[in-house]
Each structure stands twice: as C-alpha cells, then as structure tokens.
Amino acid sequence: MAGTGQKAEALVLSRQAIEGATVALRADSANAFAQAALSTVYAAAGAVQVKFAVTRAEWMQALDWYQKSAEGWEHVHPQHGWPDNRDSELARVKAEILRCARKLTSL
C-alpha cells in the first residue's frame, strides 16, 4: 500500500500487523519468532510513517515505531541460531532512529 501511495490503507495495515504480532507475543513471550515478528512490524510501521511524513508529529510517530522496534530487537533471545539477522536488524533500526532524530531537529 505504501509503495502505491495509499497512505491511509498503509497506516491501517501497519497497525493491524502490530496488533497481530502483539497477540502472538502475548501467547508465547519466550518465542524468538514472535519477538522478532513484533520488532519487524514496528520497523515496517516506521518505514510506512517515514514514507508519508511531513509534519513533526508524523516524524515523531516514525521515531516512536523505530524505537519500539529497537527495544524489541534488544530483547530477542535467539533460539537454535535463529534469528541470525538480529544484530543487523537492530543496527538498521538504530540508523533509522538517527535519521528521524536528525529530521526532527531540522523541522
């Protein structure tokens, strides 16, 4: 949806993905897949928000989604070597946090 410029739909789908991943994590909080899924959808919500961000409030929301993603990745406890991309995803999300923070200082 975001790729085709459908802002409202993309934001709704992002929130629905977060709700679904939150439910899955509540069902099994020790599950690395559920932990990673929530962190992933938070980052995706941040990316959607950034794509359409114009106002300070929109950039703040993007920053919040990325911060939640980073917090989640920091608590992912890999099981049997999965997920093997935890550190790279955490680094990517932290870079997005910095990008949002820089944008906010320029607004």
Side-chain angles (χ1 to χ4, degrees):
M1 296 287 134
T4 60
Q6 299 177 51
K7 178 182 178 179
E9 294 85 352
L11 294 172
V12 167
L13 288 175
S14 292
R15 292 186 195 290
Q16 289 174 342
I18 290 167
E19 289 170 13
T22 299
V23 168
L25 186 59
R26 277 194 209 124
D28 186 1
S29 63
N31 185 300
F33 180 78
Q35 293 167 355
L38 183 57
S39 299
T40 299
V41 296
Y42 276 141
V48 167
Q49 192 71 45
V50 162
K51 178 165 180 54
F52 299 108
V54 176
T55 67
R56 182 171 186 77
E58 291 168 332
W59 280 100
M60 289 291 293
Q61 181 61 67
L63 177 64
D64 184 56
W65 290 136
Y66 282 127
Q67 287 173 329
K68 287 180 179 183
S69 178
E71 290 168 11
W73 281 116
E74 288 172 352
H75 293 100
V76 169
H77 302 292
Q79 298 171 357
H80 310 292
W82 191 93
D84 60 356
N85 65 336
R86 177 199 176 269
D87 293 339
S88 63
E89 285 300 307
L90 181 55
R92 185 183 66 78
V93 168
K94 286 183 175 183
E96 291 299 325
I97 289 169
L98 290 174
R99 180 169 75 120
C100 289
R102 282 192 297 269
K103 181 64 177 182
L104 282 164
T105 61
S106 71
L107 291 177

